[in-house]
Amino acid sequence: MHPALAMRPDLNDRALLKARFSRIRAQTEGLTQGLAPEDMQVQTMDDVSPMKWHLAHTSWFFEAFLLQPLIKGYQPFDPVFDYLFNSYYEAVGERWSRARRGLLTRPLVDEVLRYRAYVTAQVERAIETMDEALWHQGAPIIELGLNHEQQHQELACSDIKHVLAVSPLPHGPYPRPEELPHKSEALGEMAFMAFEGGLVEVGAVAGSGFVYDNELPRHTVYLYPFELAQRPVSNGEWLNFMADGGYQRAEFWLSEGWAMVQGERLQAPLYWRQIAGEWHEYTLHGPQKLDPDQPVCHISGYEAAAYANWAGARLPLEAELELLAHCAPPEGRLLFNQPGVHPARMQAGDGLQAVYGGVWEWTQSAYSAYPGYHPPKGAVGEYNGKFMASQWVLRGGSCATPYDHVRASYRNFFPPSARWQFSGLRLARDLSA
Ligand SMILES: [Fe+2]
């Protein structure tokens, strides 16, 4: 058995896993509050999936990998859904094309919600009734399905944001968090934290809790002495980059990034817009005046790299950010029972800030296999490994990452052109040995 899918003793507590399963399923449905069926239908670009599709696909995952293969006599809710809601698993079969997900007016949202309820009930029953041998196979798959669903909770937030931001009548479906009092002290100079480097261990320890296959095996890397900023780059600092011609000066940009700036006429992060001469940004609580002390968000890897060049720094390596992540408690910020899906304002003064729960931080590390990596056998092996080309790793976790879905070894990955995720950057600099 692959170590990422091996049975662990803590999975023997069926009641605990069932409670977690029911909670996470309900949390996904909670993300539809404040949305109308029309909002849940639209697909604004190929990378965006409609909310309705996320609701269905996260149910399909349990049907395809748990209920159909392991539960004798399982009756699928609708056999066509296997075709409609398979995302990218070649081994499972043919599927509806990703770019055309928004064209599926049927099934209706109501039917998708009935599908969800059916799958939820079937999995809950399976948790109660599987015999011991089956449980050893099924429990790690249920846990994978829950982590998959949590990933989709964040994707659903970034996707619905892209959908709703298009309209000249932007809608902010989620409640605005309570405003922190405006402090008198400015954010001030960015402070850095030094690391001596050398031979360090990175990656997850197999068997210590749930991890994806791509976080394994744990292995040794060599790092030269470096320092990392104690907080991510702020909106105010990004405005300085823009004022200094950041989007007009080719000297800061990677060639592909410069082509993107010119081709798409980029001038600012994705959701920034000028209203009556002042910068605003669209948030899931509606448009708001740009807060200079919040982390800059919704930038591509190319923009992050250009900023780092402009600032006389560089993007961190993923191993460097993993060392930093061990210096902070792993807490995401999507709390579900509390309002707020936007990076929180940072505070003046020294001290490590927003390692988790602000923005995903771009690294310069290509998303590739760790030494000795191999994917699990079968269809589920397509989860991560086959995407190890042309993408960059992001580390940390964002304000849209579920609070219990972050850890130091977590590897997020997107093409460096992607801007619609909750992505920002933290600066790194070399230190002489
Ligand atoms: Fe998925």
Side-chain angles (χ1 to χ4, degrees), residues 57 87 148 152:
H57 165 71
S87 49
H148 170 256
H152 275 276

Side-chain angles (χ1 to χ4, degrees), residues 231-246:
R231 59 168 174 78
V233 170
S234 70
N235 285 333
E237 287 159 342
W238 199 268
L239 284 169
N240 293 337
F241 170 64
M242 287 163 55
D244 197 31

Side-chain angles (χ1 to χ4, degrees), residues 13 20 34 57 68 90 92 157 191 229 274-275 356 407-408 430:
D13 189 338
R20 197 169 140 224
H57 165 71
Q68 297 198 41
E90 303 285 347
V92 175
C157 287
Q274 286 224 311
I275 303 174
Y356 300 102
R407 57 190 165 269
D430 296 322

